[in-house]
Amino acid sequence: MNKIIVAIDGYSSCGKSTMAKQLAARAGYTYIDTGAMYRAVALYCLRNGLMTADKIDIDGLKQHIADIKIEFRTNAEGKTETWLNGENVESQIRTLEVGTGASRVSELKFVREFLVAQQKAMGKQKGIVMDGRDIGTVVFPEAELKIFVTARPEVRAKRRYDELRAKGETLSFDEVLASTIERDNRDQNRAESPLKQAPDALVLDNSTMTPAEQNEWLEKTFVGKASKC
Ligand code: DC
């Protein structure tokens, strides 16, 4: 079976990364979480005074963008973690603040160009599962398998709320739902590479699916596609 590119796009907190990670592990493919790259840029901005609640220092970020080195390294348990300029930032990038910051920096064309070039290079050898918002439309429009994942906002907000509470963040469900809807709006309506379904993508609405049902669907879809390539 030839190796293919699997592009998984969709809304925030719809379980894309969990399913992408599991598929990559089963198929012996490399998993790439492009959201983590936008989150790392946001963390860099927050730490270096380039982003406040209402403003991004665009000139400052342009000047420093080439200093941002993002890597994915595998830890002792085989889990991929995000490193920013030589520091493991996997847990720091998973907060609501950094997620909102990532959504804001992802609107900037030069940030997208900077990250998309790296994402394209990572997929040259194929054998990757990449998840994000623009993978099937911009990064790999030629991907052999494209999946667009969606779920109702309330379902996604509940998943994110449970995750954040488990990590000790003290937020109300309404705050998380409002942030989910705000992020959806920004992701879908930005001028640069907005979140949209590629015409040849398969849609997966997992609002009422269990993780096991979802994995079974993905496995079947992947094997069906990869065996023809
Ligand atoms: O998937 P995530 O929640 O970790 O992504 C964080 C933000 O990054 C999200 O609000 C949109 C942005 N993003 C993007 O614009 N393009 C991608 N390929 C991945 C993420």
Side-chain angles (χ1 to χ4, degrees), residues 26 39 44 51 58 61 87 106 115 152 174 209:
R26 285 195 303 268
R39 286 170 181 265
Y44 180 91
M51 180 158 57
I58 293 181
L61 179 54
E87 178 192 347
S106 74
L115 296 179
R152 279 186 284 111
D174 286 349
M209 279 171 114

Side-chain angles (χ1 to χ4, degrees), residues 8-20 22 131 147-160 163 180 202-218:
I8 303 187
D9 290 305
Y11 290 91
S12 65
S13 305
C14 60
K16 296 187 300 295
S17 48
T18 308
M19 64 190 269
Q22 290 174 354
D131 82 48
I147 294 163
F148 189 84
V149 194
T150 181
R152 279 186 284 111
E154 293 75 13
V155 173
R156 291 184 285 120
K158 176 71 170 69
R159 289 176 190 156
R160 176 129 48 112
E163 265 170 35
T180 303
L202 302 172
V203 179
L204 172 68
D205 182 335
N206 65 16
S207 299
T208 60
M209 279 171 114
T210 63
E213 285 168 341
Q214 185 174 276
N215 279 340
E216 196 185 323
W217 179 89
L218 187 58

Side-chain angles (χ1 to χ4, degrees), residues 34-35 38-39 102-103 106 112 132-135 183 187 190:
T34 63
Y38 289 91
R39 286 170 181 265
S103 176
S106 74
R112 301 204 72 84
R133 305 291 187 287
D134 58 344
I135 312 306
R183 219 193 287 186
D187 288 351
R190 66 180 175 225

Side-chain angles (χ1 to χ4, degrees), residues 12-13 35 38-43 45-46 51-56 92-108 111-112 133 160 164 169 171 175-187 190:
S12 65
S13 305
Y38 289 91
R39 286 170 181 265
V41 172
L43 182 64
C45 290
L46 289 165
M51 180 158 57
T52 55
D54 55 1
K55 200 170 174 296
I56 300 176
Q92 286 93 322
I93 62 168
R94 301 295 167 192
T95 64
L96 196 63
E97 183 192 19
V98 175
T100 304
S103 176
R104 291 169 63 202
V105 294
S106 74
E107 292 185 286
L108 303 171
V111 171
R112 301 204 72 84
R133 305 291 187 287
R160 176 129 48 112
L164 292 168
E169 287 208 35
L171 292 143
E175 281 174 298
V176 178
L177 179 60
S179 137
T180 303
I181 293 169
E182 182 200 332
R183 219 193 287 186
D184 285 355
N185 283 334
R186 202 166 20 226
D187 288 351
R190 66 180 175 225

